[in-house]
């Protein structure tokens, strides 16, 4: 863990230097010696080991060891049901540190907030003091991870969704740092657009909690389709990775704009624990390449000219493989 501690010191300096500019915070993460990158993606997981969270974590560790991963992405809903109660909430260790114990998973975890996280003390999850408990943990509202071969743009998707503000039911959301909402979202979209336009990375990958497109329980997020999707298409984003729907899913979508040749892969990895909703929208078939209404996780391997995405179930079985030759279209194989 000593190496991870040194890395955390570097990360802290990055956060301090970039936050002053007002743009998206940027972190740098090194690639492998051959210039490639490999990582795991898990979402909707923090249930203190229940609902098969521990079993999914075990298989993640095995796959991560084989790939010698560089880091892990969490797509949000990190702690159920209502986020953390504070920086001293034992759920942080019970649901995170004591679950993902494999040596191969002792890498940086880059996390976004989900709607369930907003039901607790949001500032607790964002507080750097958690890194003293577990130095793997980095959670910010919106930020960039620059890996030379790829840039990952993490966005705070929960504040986009109208129902959390208009029809919160019995839930209470911690909107500190978000209100006034319109100003917050406008700035986020502007900063993201600037960052995407300025990016010269081989691969542009955007990560959020809510899906843009999905045939799962929650379905498409209309607010993201209206406000975010045009920016993704205009800037030739390769992948949009999300959780929220407790499933594994791949949708390939070509822009309807005749002036835009963008083809985005919508990749859902939200099977970190509780799943099996059983209510997929069978009428939405456009672009659907794969859907699994169960628990599991995803791996991503990036090279200069090719990306490989693999979906695994709770037993470590390969369910679906996506091969993306850069600039040559998409080849999908399902197993």
């Amino acid at each position: 863990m000593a190496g991870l501690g040194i890395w955390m010191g570097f990360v802290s300096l990055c956060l301090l230097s970039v936050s002053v500019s007002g743009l998206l915070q940027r972190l740098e993460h090194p690639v492998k010696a051959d210039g490639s990158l490999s990582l795991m993606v898990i979402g909707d997981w923090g249930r203190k080991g229940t609902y098969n969270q521990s079993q999914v974590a075990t298989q993640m560790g095995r796959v991560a060891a084989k790939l010698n991963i560089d880091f892990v992405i969490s797509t949000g809903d990190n702690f159920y049901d209502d986020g953390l109660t504070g920086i001293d909430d034992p759920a942080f260790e019970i649901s995170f540190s004591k679950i993902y114990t494999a040596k191969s998973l002792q890498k940086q975890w880059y996390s976004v907030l989900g709607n369930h996280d907003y039901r607790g003390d949001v500032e607790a999850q964002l507080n750097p003091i958690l890194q003293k408990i577990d130095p793997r943990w980095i959670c910010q509202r919106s930020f960039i991870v620059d890996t030379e071969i790829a840039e990952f743009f993490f966005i705070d998707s929960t504040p986009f969704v109208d129902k959390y503000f208009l029809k919160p039911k019995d839930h209470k959301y911690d909107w500190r740092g978000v209100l006034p909402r319109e100003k917050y979202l406008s700035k986020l979209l502007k900063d993201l657009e600037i960052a995407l336009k300025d990016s010269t990375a081989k691969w542009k990958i955007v990560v959020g909690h809510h899906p843009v497109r999905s045939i799962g329980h929650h379905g498409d997020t209309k607010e993201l389709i209206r406000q975010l999707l045009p920016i993704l298409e205009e800037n030739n984003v390769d992948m949009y990775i999300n959780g929220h729907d407790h499933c594994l899913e791949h949708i390939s979508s070509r822009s309807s704009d005749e002036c835009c040749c963008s083809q985005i892969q919508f990749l859902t990895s939200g099977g970190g624990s509780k799943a099996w909703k059983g209510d997929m929208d069978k009428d939405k078939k456009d672009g659907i390449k794969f859907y699994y209404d169960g628990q599991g996780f995803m791996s991503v391997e990036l090279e200069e000219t090719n990306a490989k995405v693999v979906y695994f179930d709770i037993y470590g079985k390969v369910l679906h493989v996506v091969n993306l030759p850069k600039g040559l279209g998409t080849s999908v194989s399902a197993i």
Side-chain angles (χ1 to χ4, degrees):
M1 296 290 286
L4 189 55
I6 294 172
W7 166 246
M8 281 307 307
F10 172 71
V11 166
S12 298
L13 289 174
C14 284
L15 290 176
L16 180 63
S17 63
V18 178
S19 61
V20 178
S21 71
L23 298 177
L24 295 181
Q25 297 174 335
R26 179 180 295 270
L27 308 178
E28 294 184 0
H29 197 113
V31 295
K32 293 180 174 61
D34 63 359
S36 67
L37 189 77
S38 59
L39 57 125
M40 309 296 289
V41 183
I42 186 76
D44 304 82
W45 43 268
R47 297 184 186 272
K48 301 179 181 179
T50 63
Y51 293 98
N52 291 327
Q53 182 194 359
S54 294
Q55 289 85 338
V56 173
T58 297
Q59 295 302 329
M60 278 182 65
R62 292 172 179 171
V63 174
K66 292 179 181 179
L67 297 180
N68 186 26
I69 65 165
D70 298 286
F71 57 84
V72 180
I73 286 176
S74 169
T75 58
D77 277 1
N78 307 312
F79 302 99
Y80 284 95
D81 277 330
D82 299 316
L84 295 178
T85 60
I87 57 175
D88 57 352
D89 189 337
F92 179 73
E93 291 186 84
I94 296 172
S95 288
F96 176 55
S97 301
K98 295 181 179 180
I99 300 296
Y100 303 100
T101 57
K103 183 179 180 181
S104 60
L105 297 178
Q106 305 309 303
K107 305 294 177 69
Q108 210 67 63
W109 282 57
Y110 297 111
S111 307
V112 290
L113 297 167
N115 52 297
H116 282 268
D117 300 311
Y118 265 100
R119 295 180 190 175
D121 183 347
V122 165
E123 297 297 331
Q125 280 201 55
L126 302 176
N127 197 319
I129 200 170
L130 292 183
Q131 296 165 6
K132 295 183 178 180
I133 301 173
D134 194 320
R136 294 178 292 175
W137 184 255
I138 292 183
C139 183
Q140 298 292 323
R141 295 185 192 273
S142 301
F143 61 104
I144 300 170
V145 174
D146 185 349
T147 68
E148 296 181 19
I149 190 175
E151 283 188 337
F152 296 81
F153 304 83
F154 292 76
I155 63 164
D156 187 15
S157 67
T158 301
F160 282 92
V161 182
D162 292 335
K163 70 178 182 180
Y164 302 137
F165 294 86
L166 304 178
K167 298 179 180 180
K169 297 182 180 179
D170 296 328
H171 304 303
K172 293 183 179 180
Y173 293 89
D174 182 0
W175 297 127
R176 288 177 295 170
V178 170
L179 302 178
R181 180 189 178 201
E182 293 76 12
K183 182 178 179 180
Y184 178 82
L185 294 178
S186 176
K187 182 180 184 305
L188 171 54
L189 290 170
K190 181 180 179 181
D191 289 350
L192 175 64
E193 186 169 20
I194 291 173
L196 286 171
K197 286 185 181 299
D198 290 345
S199 176
T200 58
K202 285 286 186 179
W203 300 93
K204 298 180 184 180
I205 301 172
V206 177
V207 180
H209 176 63
H210 294 77
V212 174
R213 292 198 57 202
S214 173
I215 62 169
H217 175 71
H218 296 291
D220 296 347
T221 305
K222 64 181 187 301
E223 296 90 347
L224 294 184
I225 289 178
R226 183 175 67 251
Q227 299 179 68
L228 178 64
L229 183 57
I231 295 175
L232 305 186
E233 292 179 336
E234 182 181 350
N235 290 281
N236 297 312
V237 167
D238 298 287
M239 308 175 202
Y240 178 82
I241 296 175
N242 62 274
H244 195 50
D245 269 331
H246 297 182
C247 63
L248 305 175
E249 183 177 15
H250 171 212
I251 298 176
S252 182
S253 178
R254 187 173 295 278
S255 171
S256 58
D257 187 345
E258 294 181 358
C259 298
C260 180
C261 60
S262 173
Q263 184 173 9
I264 303 172
Q265 307 306 312
F266 297 101
L267 308 170
T268 297
S269 182
S273 57
K274 189 177 182 180
W276 305 109
K277 281 286 186 179
D279 57 354
M280 64 177 286
D281 189 342
K282 297 180 180 179
D283 294 329
K284 291 185 178 180
K285 298 181 179 180
D286 180 40
I288 301 297
K289 301 297 182 182
F290 165 73
Y291 183 86
Y292 178 67
D293 186 27
Q295 294 138 336
F297 56 95
M298 190 173 86
S299 69
V300 180
E301 299 170 76
L302 297 173
E303 298 176 344
E304 287 284 324
T305 59
N306 188 73
K308 182 179 180 182
V309 178
V310 182
Y311 290 88
F312 300 86
D313 70 6
I314 192 174
Y315 304 107
K317 177 184 177 182
V318 174
L319 299 175
H320 181 71
V321 180
V322 186
N323 286 299
L324 300 171
K326 187 63 175 174
L328 299 175
T330 304
S331 174
V332 178
S333 58
I335 298 177

